[in-house]
Amino acid sequence: MAAADALGAERVLLGAMRSRRPKDLVLKLIGQLDHRAARRVAMAEADIAPEIRCALIRAAARRPAALSRTAETRTDAEREVILAASQAWRDDVWALLEAPPARPLWAQLARDTDAGPLVTNLLLDRADGLDDLVLLACLQSAFAKDPRKDDLFSGTLGASLILARLVKVTAQHPRAFLLHGAGLRDAVATAAGEMVNEIREEGIYESSWDTFEALASVCTTPAVLADAAQCLCQATPPTWQQHPTPEWTAARSQAADALARNPFCPAEALARLAPFLSEAAAARFIEHPDQHVREAATRIADQAEERIRLPQPSQPTQRTRSVGPPVTPDDTLAQQEDPAAALSTFLPLKGPAAYRRETAQAILDSRYVDISHLRRLPAAMVLAHTAHAPAVATLLLQELGDRSKAWDRFRNSTLRLTPSAPKTLGALVEEAIADTP
């Protein structure tokens, strides 16, 4: 639409709205607006009926012509222009959505056939504290089962996009699994299935192993984790690469560690993963209840001990170095005047997410850990560590008592946790007892 025509349509629409012209005419005029004009009209008028406001937002959410797919090859300058236009478009739609009069319309707009995808993405990415109705509508829109097949969302690439999206959404909106658990678990299973099918047929690139880490951070289905573990054990490099490189092997080991850390990973999968685990990760499972897991983990530990006895090369490679969390071993802690206090110096957890999880696991495995440490560690990891179940039960009985509302809150909070959730056990308890008599 030419600039003059757009401006004319905008002026006619404002006149029609102010003179209370028939609704059908107003809606027809709105259909001629672009996102900039729709934003200006909505900002210019304070008293707009919900149906008209929805129509303005739908008009703004239509993809601008400048962003339509045209030539396959573009210059860097053209790409910059397109990127700026895309950002301006999304900003205009968000400005309409975040206006207070539009907030009651969020659930309806998220379910809209045309505007829904953009509205959903903006709400999940930019809005905080979504209520249950809106969040559920967004999750149903974002992770709906679409019978249409898009090659972009198949195979390892599609799995990486979907799982990365799930990681981000569940981190920003912790209630996601509680509200739409079945749908999200289906999305995880579908993405995992696409990934492992392609890997079994075509192999896997070194750079694609991090998709397993994303899967491990959101998957709560043992069968899916078992299938992923089997795929990892049997995986080969892509067909053009004859042998695994050290980098490829190291990336697989990191992916195996991530799957093994997931508390929903079944024992048979852990036994499969054991030969590919790093030494630090394998050491956690030496006292696992399952005999096969214990035996596999012990073999890794014995092999590591044997390597220590052998003469060391003057220039060890990156693959032979073992880097673990800086938690003092129990034998050293035993020499301290107060071992528990010494262990407390590693709290609160610091560093990158993976490093914090390594440190938390090392603290949980220490024989000097007490309830003060457990309160400050990630609840998902504490609750998955069976050795601490009696101490956790005692804590909950003391803190929650006979308050049924507090117990319900705590149970609901634990259902929302993903395996990599950073929220501490103490925070969950405090939330549960807040405002309860």
Side-chain angles (χ1 to χ4, degrees):
M1 179 172 23
D5 292 341
L7 185 59
E10 183 179 340
R11 289 173 176 170
V12 172
L13 172 60
L14 283 171
M17 292 173 63
R18 290 166 180 168
S19 60
R20 306 294 182 183
R21 301 294 293 274
K23 181 176 62 178
D24 291 345
L25 173 62
V26 172
L27 293 174
K28 183 178 181 180
L29 291 170
I30 290 175
Q32 302 176 35
L33 302 181
D34 61 14
H35 63 96
R36 295 185 184 88
R39 176 178 179 175
R40 287 194 295 267
V41 170
M43 296 300 185
E45 293 296 304
D47 185 18
I48 300 177
E51 184 178 0
I52 302 301
R53 190 174 295 277
C54 277
L56 288 168
I57 295 174
R58 283 194 293 268
R62 284 196 299 269
R63 178 178 290 274
L67 302 183
S68 60
R69 297 178 181 177
T70 53
E72 294 184 1
T73 58
R74 299 187 179 97
T75 65
D76 289 343
E78 289 172 333
R79 291 191 184 94
E80 290 294 330
V81 170
I82 291 173
L83 181 61
S86 177
Q87 187 61 49
W89 171 45
R90 295 171 69 86
D91 288 346
D92 279 335
V93 178
W94 175 242
L96 293 176
L97 285 171
E98 70 171 344
R103 295 187 177 227
L105 309 174
W106 281 359
Q108 175 184 345
L109 288 165
R111 295 189 177 98
D112 187 86
T113 303
D114 298 320
L118 177 59
V119 169
T120 292
N121 288 336
L122 289 172
L123 292 177
L124 291 176
D125 290 344
R126 302 193 185 189
D128 293 322
L130 294 177
D131 63 43
D132 288 355
L133 179 64
V134 176
L135 180 55
L136 178 59
C138 289
L139 294 171
Q140 290 172 334
S141 173
F143 300 102
K145 288 186 176 180
D146 191 344
R148 296 171 296 178
K149 185 70 172 177
D150 188 338
D151 290 339
L152 177 63
F153 293 99
S154 63
T156 303
L157 174 60
S160 67
L161 294 173
I162 293 170
L163 292 173
R165 181 68 169 144
L166 275 163
V167 170
K168 182 177 180 181
V169 167
T170 54
Q172 187 168 348
H173 306 282
R175 304 189 324 282
F177 267 96
L178 180 64
L179 293 175
H180 194 48
L184 298 187
R185 284 189 287 272
D186 284 345
V188 171
T190 299
E194 291 280 354
M195 176 182 70
V196 300
N197 287 340
E198 180 177 286
I199 291 172
R200 284 167 176 155
E201 292 179 3
E202 303 180 15
I204 180 172
Y205 289 89
E206 171 194 323
S207 59
S208 297
W209 278 117
D210 58 1
T211 305
F212 280 80
E213 298 179 53
L215 173 65
S217 69
V218 295
C219 186
T220 59
T221 306
V224 173
L225 292 166
D227 195 34
Q230 183 181 34
C231 175
L232 181 144
C233 300
Q234 300 172 345
T236 59
T239 53
W240 57 265
Q241 184 177 325
Q242 294 183 351
H243 303 289
T245 63
E247 293 78 13
W248 188 94
T249 303
R252 175 165 65 173
S253 178
Q254 188 170 341
D257 286 358
L259 290 176
R261 282 194 300 265
N262 187 304
F264 297 95
C265 190
E268 61 270 21
L270 286 174
R272 287 180 177 273
L273 292 170
F276 307 97
L277 296 176
S278 67
E279 294 159 7
R284 302 178 195 157
F285 302 106
I286 291 177
E287 298 183 5
H288 193 276
D290 185 88
Q291 178 183 354
H292 297 293
V293 176
R294 287 198 308 274
E295 292 174 350
T298 301
R299 283 196 298 270
I300 302 300
D302 290 345
Q303 291 168 7
E305 185 176 354
E306 182 63 26
R307 282 196 298 272
I308 293 174
R309 293 195 188 101
L310 296 174
Q312 297 298 308
S314 56
Q315 295 293 331
T317 63
Q318 183 65 33
R319 182 72 184 122
T320 61
R321 296 191 187 107
S322 177
V323 179
V327 175
T328 307
D330 279 357
D331 290 345
T332 304
L333 286 173
Q335 301 172 17
Q336 304 285 331
E337 182 177 348
D338 188 345
L343 197 60
S344 297
T345 61
F346 301 103
L347 295 169
L349 301 173
K350 297 178 182 178
Y355 188 77
R356 294 197 303 271
R357 288 195 296 270
E358 293 279 352
T359 305
Q361 188 64 51
I363 295 174
L364 284 169
D365 292 339
S366 172
R367 66 176 180 268
Y368 295 109
V369 67
D370 60 27
I371 199 64
S372 67
H373 303 119
L374 298 181
R375 292 183 68 103
R376 302 171 69 186
L377 292 172
M381 298 181 68
V382 175
L383 296 173
H385 204 294
T386 55
H388 300 302
V392 172
T394 300
L395 168 67
L396 296 180
L397 287 172
Q398 291 174 346
E399 297 283 355
L400 307 186
D402 58 358
R403 291 171 286 187
S404 59
K405 183 177 181 181
W407 283 102
D408 288 341
R409 284 182 178 177
F410 184 82
R411 181 180 60 83
N412 290 335
S413 295
T414 58
L415 290 174
R416 300 168 192 163
L417 293 173
T418 58
S420 59
K423 181 170 287 189
T424 65
L425 178 63
L428 251 62
V429 170
E430 291 171 4
E431 290 176 359
I433 62 177
D435 303 324
T436 57

